[in-house]
Amino acid sequence: MPLPGRDSPVLLLGPLLRHVDPVSATVWVETDRPCEVAVLDRRARTFAVGGHHFALVVVEGLEPGSATPYDVRLDGERVWPDAASPFPPSRIRTPGRPGPFRIAFGSCRYATPSTVDLAEGIPPDALDTYAVRLAEQSEDSWPDALVLLGDQVYADELTTPTRQWLELRRRERAPEDTQVADFEEYTRLYAESWSDPHVRWLLSTIPSSMIFDDHEMIDDWNTSAAWRREVTGQQWWRDRIAGGLVSYWVYQHLGNLSPRELAENRTWQAVQESPGDAEPVLRAMAEAADADPRTVRWSYVRHWGDARMVMVDSRAGRVLDEQARRMVDDAEFAWVEAAVRQAADEGVEHVVLGTSLPWLLPHAIHDIERWSETLNGRHLGRPLGWVSEKLRQAADLEHWAAFGDSFERLGRLLVALARGDHGRPPATALVLSGDVHHAYAAELVQPEQLTTRVHQLTVSPLHNQAPHPIKVGFRIGWSRWARRLMSGMARLARVRPTELEWEKAAGPYFGNQLGELVLDGREARFLLYVSERDRSGREQLRGVLDLPLSSPVAAEVTG
């Protein structure tokens, strides 16, 4: 609905700089009414979803390695950047410049600093603080890409302002455990999170790649077949999952696609051809995707010169049959394998896999998850199976280790890559993840004599906090005695052992944090920053780790 008292269109959210390759880019916006959106003289008409108006402008004809400032015009009137903005001009920076390629990454951003109660005691927002830091630095030090690995919004943990907004909309009291119910209420979450001026500038300037995790739908989303039977039997589920997937498609997934993929995407074509509001088109897509994950592929690929990122959906595409659990179905896993093999064939130096959930966990927690999956499958429908299922849901035992076949298949893929079975081995294979509300690095050490170094890099949260039990559990999870205990329990339960072996390289680190990869030729480093307040109360990022990923020396940062 147009804002009252305005004769011209208003930019509500964005611009978000999304897919960027050496010669093209896409820019996403939300406006208050239908209009024409122009970026660098490329134009697109808005499309409507649920009474909201969006546009995705495809900018082509860019030069590799260039940096091009841009503005946004609605029906010919410039609306971005604001003339009084304290931030540097938004710009499109295409891959191909000399020097290292930088990737910033993290996950789990609960709303914004201005909407969170101080009483919650959440440390400074790492993404917000990172934006301030970049604005004060030269462009040469900015990252080339931002990877957000899940929980960009929280549908099941609402701020006080959002609960108040829901009370006005629903005309009833909204208790503290209230959750959003439909597409309209999801739009409020994105408006709350992406209106933050610091992050708004950051997203307008650094190309972003995104994938969902459970809180964008509901906690424990697709944990197991038992969980799914219980939730899908609830009357509210249909509107909830439809609203969640439609909003994800509009606000996040659409920008993950390249211009070529957009041209081939049937849902995008149907939305553009819709004579009116496209919500029915997208709701049909969402309901089909929830009923049969094979109808939509949320995974995608990013091409970054010497680096290639394969983003893997580790939530919506799960196979939950207890006798055949898979993180993604066989067809999608084959697609992932083909994408990784293509990267090797093309001789990239760094293969990056993005997945919201960690592949390599602390050893004791890995064994608990394998133990849980084994007991659930072996004792399905019996008391021990029921107890195991309750434990699985209560303790969130649903990472890659809890999908044993998929864990091993991903391991075989990375080992084959590291041995050179698919072409010249890259320098590194890096699995980026979030979810677990702390940061750590682990390296695959068995099988030995791998040419490529294989790392798990986990960074979470950007803006949230880790409850005390999580801190204790993950510290214990890396301990030798906990590993011996849980490996013994796994042997008693006749859990199939893995031939893979990994070691913790750094961590765990707690607090709000953000990671950076610095890729330079065949060299790679992992930098980790934790947000804090200095003695004057100013928010800042403090470096706590500088970990070489393609050489054997690591350094803790103490300053």
Side-chain angles (χ1 to χ4, degrees), residues 17-25 40 62-70 89-98 100-103 130 134 138-146 201-202 204-208 304:
L17 181 60
R18 298 302 316 275
H19 182 279
V20 173
D21 59 37
V23 296
S24 69
L40 294 176
L62 299 170
E63 291 293 328
S66 62
T68 308
Y70 72 92
S90 301
R91 63 200 72 183
I92 301 173
R93 300 160 66 242
T94 57
R97 293 181 303 279
F101 190 90
R102 294 176 176 267
I103 303 169
Y130 187 61
L134 294 185
S138 69
E139 180 184 333
D140 291 342
S141 64
W142 294 356
D144 300 277
L146 173 65
W201 171 79
L202 179 71
S204 77
T205 301
I206 309 302
S208 54
W304 290 323

Side-chain angles (χ1 to χ4, degrees), residues 67-98:
T68 308
Y70 72 92
D71 59 28
V72 177
R73 297 173 186 266
L74 305 183
D75 285 347
E77 179 180 342
R78 195 181 95 157
V79 295
W80 180 275
D82 187 282
S85 172
F87 295 100
S90 301
R91 63 200 72 183
I92 301 173
R93 300 160 66 242
T94 57
R97 293 181 303 279

Side-chain angles (χ1 to χ4, degrees), residues 163-164 166-168 170-178:
R163 289 200 306 272
Q164 293 170 343
L166 286 177
E167 288 179 343
L168 292 174
R170 298 176 181 178
R171 299 183 180 180
E172 62 183 22
R173 181 179 173 275
E176 287 200 7
D177 61 353
T178 297

Side-chain angles (χ1 to χ4, degrees), residues 325 370 373 399-409 496:
R325 280 170 60 88
R370 293 292 297 115
E373 182 192 28
H399 300 85
W400 282 84
F403 294 79
D405 285 340
S406 297
F407 174 88
E408 298 293 346
R409 186 169 178 177
R496 184 183 65 182

Side-chain angles (χ1 to χ4, degrees), residues 302-556:
R302 279 284 195 267
H303 298 259
W304 290 323
D306 283 342
R308 182 73 46 83
M309 183 178 74
V310 182
M311 184 70 85
V312 182
D313 160 27
S314 49
R315 276 292 173 187
R318 295 178 173 185
V319 178
L320 299 175
D321 182 342
E322 288 293 348
Q323 307 308 320
R325 280 170 60 88
R326 302 287 188 274
M327 188 62 85
V328 297
D329 64 42
D330 288 342
E332 184 155 349
F333 216 124
W335 177 89
V336 171
E337 290 168 330
V340 170
R341 289 168 183 154
Q342 182 181 4
D345 288 342
E346 295 177 5
V348 303
E349 302 289 8
H350 306 279
V351 174
V352 179
L353 275 82
T355 167
S356 63
L357 302 172
W359 172 54
L360 300 179
L361 287 166
H363 299 99
I365 296 175
H366 172 91
D367 286 337
I368 291 173
E369 297 205 359
R370 293 292 297 115
W371 172 84
S372 171
E373 182 192 28
T374 300
L375 292 185
N376 273 280
R378 187 177 298 153
H379 300 281
L380 185 64
R382 291 180 281 179
L384 185 54
W386 181 86
V387 171
S388 299
E389 176 61 30
K390 291 300 181 183
L391 175 62
R392 173 158 63 187
Q393 293 187 32
D396 291 336
L397 304 179
E398 37 97 31
H399 300 85
W400 282 84
F403 294 79
D405 285 340
S406 297
F407 174 88
E408 298 293 346
R409 186 169 178 177
L410 183 55
R412 290 193 297 271
L413 173 63
L414 293 176
V415 167
L417 177 73
R419 284 175 170 163
D421 294 353
H422 305 306
R424 183 174 71 92
T428 65
L430 309 172
V431 181
L432 308 186
S433 306
D435 179 71
V436 291
H437 286 208
H438 71 288
Y440 65 90
E443 182 172 7
L444 191 69
V445 295
Q446 187 73 30
E448 297 178 343
Q449 299 179 337
L450 300 180
T451 303
T452 300
R453 294 185 65 181
V454 180
H455 299 269
Q456 168 74 62
L457 306 175
T458 301
V459 175
S460 165
L462 290 164
H463 189 221
N464 211 312
Q465 57 186 344
H468 185 68
I470 287 182
K471 293 182 180 181
V472 173
F474 277 97
R475 289 188 189 280
I476 292 174
W478 287 111
S479 66
R480 292 182 179 179
W481 68 265
R483 182 181 185 182
R484 287 195 294 268
L485 174 64
M486 289 313 306
S487 63
M489 290 181 62
R491 285 194 299 271
L492 286 175
R494 304 192 307 280
V495 174
R496 184 183 65 182
T498 180
E499 295 182 358
L500 303 177
E501 180 58 60
W502 58 97
E503 294 179 353
K504 178 170 67 74
Y509 299 92
F510 295 94
N512 288 337
Q513 49 206 330
L514 180 137
E516 278 190 347
L517 287 179
V518 183
L519 309 177
D520 192 359
R522 288 183 65 82
E523 295 299 313
R525 293 161 52 215
F526 170 42
L527 309 179
L528 183 66
Y529 302 94
V530 174
S531 70
E532 63 183 14
R533 290 182 175 84
D534 63 19
R535 293 180 179 178
S536 66
R538 185 176 185 269
E539 297 178 356
Q540 63 178 13
L541 288 178
R542 178 172 59 90
V544 296
L545 179 68
D546 183 345
L547 177 67
L549 303 174
S550 49
S551 60
V553 180
E556 294 274 351

